[in-house]
Amino acid sequence: GDSVTQMEGPVTLSEEAFLTINCTYTATGYPSLFWYVQYPGEGLQLLLKATKADDKGSNKGFEATYRKETTSFHLEKGSVQVSDSAVYFCALSSSYTDKLIFGTGTRLQVFP
Amino acid sequence: SQTIHQWPATLVQPVGSPLSLECTVEGTSNPNLYWYRQAAGRGLQLLFYSVGIGQISSEVPQNLSASRPQDRQFILSSKKLLLSDSGFYLCAWNPGQVTYEQYFGPGTRLTVT
């Protein structure tokens, strides 16, 4: 079945460092791909999305490119801030259903 | 614009007591609705989803149940809580058309003692 694999966390960075959080997927059909962010004690917020191969989603300095050849959707940001500290979830739309398949989440900790 | 509400925000309940969590969506009609649970430090587990009034799909067999009495209202219930029911409960909605992203509510923190 469809699945999403994220890199284990926590990812610990200094402020202004470059961020990459890896996400790979297995899916039938042509899923849409998403990144969600969860700040402590809050619900998930949609960060960005891509609906077809080679699409690049971007928001708030974060970006991710839908790579069908490598089945990946890695999240990147050029310069992280302390306020980016959160848990990041990669997700895909499950084929032929109305459900999303989530990865296990990656905690990002940014220190000043 | 659309908004999603959940209440209560936090809840502490003894083992064996009943549970009722409520989720409502404003500003849309006939949304798909979802209940997730997030255990401490863990990922998301889909519990139930609904594509219409009275239509509930259960993903995980357990002592929880869900109902959708109105188009934009989704309720999560239990007759007798277990310690393992503790967690962060999230409701989400989706327009139910060609777009697949889900929008999440603020969550309910449930502690079963």
Side-chain angles (χ1 to χ4, degrees), chain A residues 32 34 36 38 41-46 49 87 89 93-94 97-100 102-105 107, chain B residues 32 34 36 38 42-44 46 49 51 59 88 90 94 99-107 109:
Chain A
S32 294
F34 308 90
Y36 282 84
Q38 184 180 31
E42 299 183 7
L44 276 69
Q45 299 176 27
L46 178 64
K49 69 175 183 180
V87 179
F89 291 91
S93 56
S94 181
T97 74
D98 294 303
K99 296 185 286 187
L100 293 182
F102 285 88
T104 53
R107 181 175 300 279
Chain B
N32 292 338
Y34 306 82
Y36 291 87
Q38 190 176 28
R42 303 287 294 276
L44 293 168
L46 179 62
Y49 71 99
V51 299
E59 291 293 299
F88 193 46
L90 291 160
N94 156 272
T99 181
Y100 297 100
E101 59 264 34
Q102 294 176 16
Y103 301 94
F104 285 78
R109 174 76 58 193

Side-chain angles (χ1 to χ4, degrees), chain B residues 25-61:
Chain B
V25 181
E26 297 177 354
T28 188
S29 60
N30 198 30
N32 292 338
L33 295 171
Y34 306 82
W35 277 114
Y36 291 87
R37 178 169 60 201
Q38 190 176 28
R42 303 287 294 276
L44 293 168
Q45 179 185 36
L46 179 62
L47 302 175
F48 301 94
Y49 71 99
S50 171
V51 299
I53 295 174
Q55 301 178 61
I56 310 293
S57 297
S58 174
E59 291 293 299
V60 183

Side-chain angles (χ1 to χ4, degrees), chain A:
Chain A
D2 297 351
S3 66
V4 174
T5 302
Q6 286 184 239
M7 61 189 293
E8 291 281 336
V11 174
T12 303
L13 295 173
S14 297
E15 204 165 24
E16 299 184 2
F18 184 86
L19 168 71
T20 300
I21 299 178
N22 291 337
C23 171
T24 57
Y25 68 89
T26 302
T28 55
Y30 303 93
S32 294
L33 301 174
F34 308 90
W35 276 102
Y36 282 84
V37 58
Q38 184 180 31
Y39 299 102
E42 299 183 7
L44 276 69
Q45 299 176 27
L46 178 64
L47 182 59
L48 54 83
K49 69 175 183 180
T51 58
K52 61 183 186 297
D54 299 326
D55 266 3
K56 178 184 284 188
S58 61
N59 186 23
K60 299 181 181 180
F62 292 89
E63 58 182 33
T65 301
Y66 189 163
R67 302 284 190 200
K68 190 170 174 60
E69 64 276 14
T70 55
T71 62
S72 65
F73 192 54
H74 304 322
L75 182 68
E76 297 181 335
K77 187 177 185 183
S79 177
V80 294
Q81 305 300 310
V82 172
S83 57
D84 294 326
S85 298
V87 179
Y88 292 81
F89 291 91
C90 184
L92 64 80
S93 56
S94 181
S95 301
Y96 314 116
T97 74
D98 294 303
K99 296 185 286 187
L100 293 182
I101 306 298
F102 285 88
T104 53
T106 302
R107 181 175 300 279
L108 170 66
Q109 298 174 325
V110 181
F111 294 95

